[in-house]
Coordinates of all heavy atoms in Angstrom, one line a residue:
Chain B
N307 N 89.8 -0.8 205.7 CA 91.0 0.0 205.4 C 91.5 0.9 206.6 O 92.6 1.1 206.7 CB 90.7 1.0 204.3 CG 90.6 0.4 202.9 OD1 90.7 -0.9 202.8 ND2 90.3 1.2 201.9
Y310 N 93.4 -1.4 208.7 CA 94.6 -1.7 207.9 C 95.6 -0.5 208.0 O 96.8 -0.7 208.2 CB 94.3 -2.0 206.4 CG 95.4 -2.2 205.5 CD1 96.2 -3.3 205.6 CD2 95.8 -1.1 204.6 CE1 97.3 -3.5 204.7 CE2 96.9 -1.4 203.6 CZ 97.6 -2.5 203.8 OH 98.6 -2.6 203.0
G311 N 95.1 0.6 207.8 CA 95.9 1.9 207.8 C 96.5 2.0 209.2 O 97.7 2.2 209.2
E315 N 100.6 1.4 209.4 CA 101.3 2.6 209.7 C 102.0 2.5 211.0 O 103.1 2.9 211.2 CB 100.5 3.8 209.6 CG 100.0 4.2 208.2 CD 98.8 5.1 208.0 OE1 98.7 6.0 208.9 OE2 98.1 4.8 207.1
H379 N 85.6 0.9 194.4 CA 86.1 2.0 195.3 C 87.2 1.4 196.2 O 86.9 0.6 197.1 CB 84.9 2.5 196.1 CG 85.3 3.6 197.1 ND1 85.6 4.9 196.8 CD2 85.7 3.5 198.5 CE1 86.0 5.7 197.8 NE2 86.1 4.7 198.9
Y380 N 88.4 1.9 196.1 CA 89.5 1.3 196.9 C 89.5 1.8 198.4 O 89.7 1.0 199.3 CB 90.9 1.6 196.3 CG 91.1 0.8 195.0 CD1 90.5 1.1 193.8 CD2 91.9 -0.3 195.1 CE1 90.8 0.4 192.7 CE2 92.1 -1.1 194.0 CZ 91.5 -0.8 192.8 OH 91.8 -1.5 191.7
G381 N 89.3 3.1 198.5 CA 89.5 3.8 199.9 C 90.8 4.2 200.0 O 91.8 3.6 199.6
C382 N 90.9 5.4 200.7 CA 92.2 6.1 200.8 C 93.3 5.4 201.6 O 94.5 5.3 201.2 CB 92.0 7.5 201.5 SG 90.8 8.5 200.6
H383 N 92.9 4.8 202.8 CA 93.9 4.3 203.7 C 94.5 3.0 203.2 O 95.6 2.6 203.7 CB 93.3 4.1 205.1 CG 93.0 5.4 205.7 ND1 94.1 6.2 206.3 CD2 91.8 6.0 205.9 CE1 93.5 7.2 206.9 NE2 92.2 7.2 206.7
F384 N 93.9 2.4 202.2 CA 94.5 1.2 201.6 C 95.7 1.7 200.8 O 96.7 1.0 200.6 CB 93.5 0.4 200.9 CG 94.1 -0.8 200.2 CD1 94.5 -1.9 200.9 CD2 94.3 -0.8 198.7 CE1 95.1 -3.0 200.2 CE2 94.8 -2.0 198.2 CZ 95.2 -3.0 198.9
L385 N 95.5 2.8 200.0 CA 96.5 3.1 199.0 C 97.6 4.1 199.5 O 98.8 4.1 199.1 CB 95.9 3.8 197.8 CG 94.8 2.9 197.1 CD1 94.0 3.7 196.1 CD2 95.6 1.7 196.3
K386 N 97.2 5.0 200.4 CA 98.2 6.1 200.8 C 98.4 6.1 202.3 O 97.5 5.7 203.0 CB 97.6 7.4 200.3 CG 97.5 7.5 198.9 CD 97.0 8.8 198.2 CE 97.1 8.8 196.8 NZ 96.7 10.0 196.2
P387 N 99.5 6.6 202.8 CA 100.7 7.0 202.1 C 101.3 5.8 201.2 O 101.6 4.8 201.8 CB 101.6 7.5 203.1 CG 100.9 7.4 204.3 CD 99.7 6.6 204.3
A388 N 101.6 6.1 199.9 CA 102.1 5.0 199.1 C 103.3 4.4 199.6 O 103.6 3.2 199.3 CB 102.2 5.6 197.7
E389 N 104.3 5.1 200.2 CA 105.6 4.6 200.5 C 105.3 3.6 201.7 O 106.2 2.8 201.9 CB 106.6 5.7 200.9 CG 106.3 6.6 202.1 CD 105.5 7.8 201.7 OE1 104.8 7.8 200.7 OE2 105.6 8.8 202.5
M390 N 104.3 3.7 202.4 CA 104.0 2.7 203.5 C 103.2 1.5 203.0 O 103.3 0.4 203.4 CB 103.3 3.4 204.6 CG 104.0 4.3 205.4 SD 103.2 4.8 206.9 CE 104.0 6.3 207.4
K391 N 102.3 1.8 202.0 CA 101.3 0.7 201.6 C 101.8 -0.1 200.3 O 101.5 -1.3 200.4 CB 100.0 1.4 201.3 CG 99.4 2.3 202.4 CD 99.2 1.6 203.7 CE 98.9 2.4 204.9 NZ 97.8 3.4 204.9
K392 N 102.5 0.5 199.5 CA 103.1 -0.2 198.4 C 102.3 -1.2 197.7 O 102.5 -2.4 197.6 CB 104.4 -1.0 198.9 CG 105.5 -0.1 199.5 CD 106.8 -0.8 199.6 CE 107.9 0.1 199.9 NZ 108.0 0.6 201.3
H393 N 101.2 -0.7 197.1 CA 100.3 -1.5 196.2 C 100.4 -1.1 194.8 O 99.4 -1.1 194.1 CB 98.8 -1.4 196.7 CG 98.7 -1.9 198.1 ND1 99.0 -3.2 198.5 CD2 98.3 -1.3 199.2 CE1 98.8 -3.3 199.8 NE2 98.3 -2.2 200.2
G394 N 101.6 -0.7 194.3 CA 101.8 -0.3 193.0 C 101.2 1.2 192.9 O 101.4 2.0 193.8
S395 N 100.6 1.4 191.8 CA 100.1 2.8 191.6 C 99.0 3.2 192.5 O 98.1 2.4 192.8 CB 99.6 2.8 190.2 OG 98.8 4.1 190.1
S396 N 99.2 4.3 193.2 CA 98.2 4.8 194.1 C 97.1 5.7 193.4 O 96.1 6.1 193.9 CB 98.7 5.6 195.3 OG 99.5 6.6 194.8
E397 N 97.5 6.1 192.2 CA 96.5 6.9 191.4 C 95.6 6.1 190.4 O 94.5 6.4 190.2 CB 97.3 7.9 190.5 CG 98.2 8.9 191.2 CD 97.4 9.9 192.1 OE1 96.2 10.1 191.7 OE2 97.9 10.4 193.0
R398 N 96.2 5.0 189.9 CA 95.3 4.1 189.1 C 95.6 2.7 189.6 O 96.2 1.8 188.8 CB 95.9 4.3 187.6 CG 95.8 5.6 187.0 CD 94.5 6.1 186.5 NE 93.9 5.1 185.5 CZ 92.6 5.0 185.1 NH1 91.8 5.8 185.6 NH2 92.2 4.1 184.1
P399 N 95.1 2.4 190.7 CA 95.3 1.0 191.2 C 94.5 -0.1 190.4 O 93.6 0.3 189.8 CB 94.8 1.1 192.7 CG 93.9 2.2 192.7 CD 94.3 3.2 191.6
R400 N 94.9 -1.3 190.4 CA 94.2 -2.3 189.6 C 93.8 -3.5 190.5 O 92.9 -4.3 190.0 CB 95.2 -2.8 188.6 CG 95.5 -1.9 187.4 CD 94.3 -1.8 186.5 NE 93.8 -3.0 185.9 CZ 92.5 -3.2 185.6 NH1 91.6 -2.3 185.8 NH2 92.2 -4.4 185.2
L401 N 94.4 -3.7 191.7 CA 94.1 -4.8 192.4 C 92.6 -5.3 192.5 O 92.2 -6.4 192.2 CB 94.6 -4.5 193.9 CG 95.1 -5.5 194.8 CD1 96.3 -6.1 194.2 CD2 95.5 -5.1 196.1
L402 N 91.8 -4.3 193.1 CA 90.3 -4.6 193.2 C 89.7 -4.9 191.9 O 88.7 -5.8 191.8 CB 89.8 -3.5 194.1 CG 88.2 -3.5 194.4 CD1 87.9 -4.8 195.1 CD2 87.8 -2.3 195.1
K419 N 87.4 8.2 190.5 CA 87.3 6.8 191.0 C 88.1 6.7 192.5 O 87.7 6.2 193.4 CB 87.8 5.9 190.1 CG 87.7 4.3 190.5 CD 88.0 3.7 189.2 CE 88.6 2.4 189.5 NZ 88.7 1.4 188.3
T420 N 89.2 7.4 192.5 CA 90.1 7.3 193.7 C 89.8 8.4 194.7 O 90.5 8.5 195.7 CB 91.6 7.3 193.3 OG1 91.9 8.4 192.5 CG2 92.0 6.0 192.7
M421 N 88.7 9.2 194.4 CA 88.3 10.2 195.4 C 87.9 9.5 196.7 O 87.2 8.4 196.7 CB 87.2 11.0 194.8 CG 86.8 12.2 195.6 SD 85.5 13.1 194.7 CE 84.4 13.7 196.1
Q459 N 86.2 -2.3 199.6 CA 87.0 -3.1 200.3 C 87.3 -2.5 201.7 O 88.3 -3.0 202.3 CB 88.4 -3.4 199.5 CG 89.1 -2.1 199.3 CD 90.4 -2.4 198.7 OE1 90.7 -2.7 197.6 NE2 91.4 -2.3 199.7

Side-chain angles (χ1 to χ4, degrees):
Chain B
N307 285 2
Y310 174 71
E315 286 161 36
H379 174 85
Y380 285 80
C382 307
H383 290 286
F384 178 69
L385 298 169
K386 293 181 177 181
E389 64 270 26
M390 293 190 191
K391 307 296 166 65
K392 295 194 173 71
H393 300 301
S395 167
S396 60
E397 296 294 337
R398 302 276 305 166
R400 286 291 305 153
L401 211 66
L402 178 57
K419 189 166 146 176
T420 48
M421 182 179 150
Q459 57 169 81

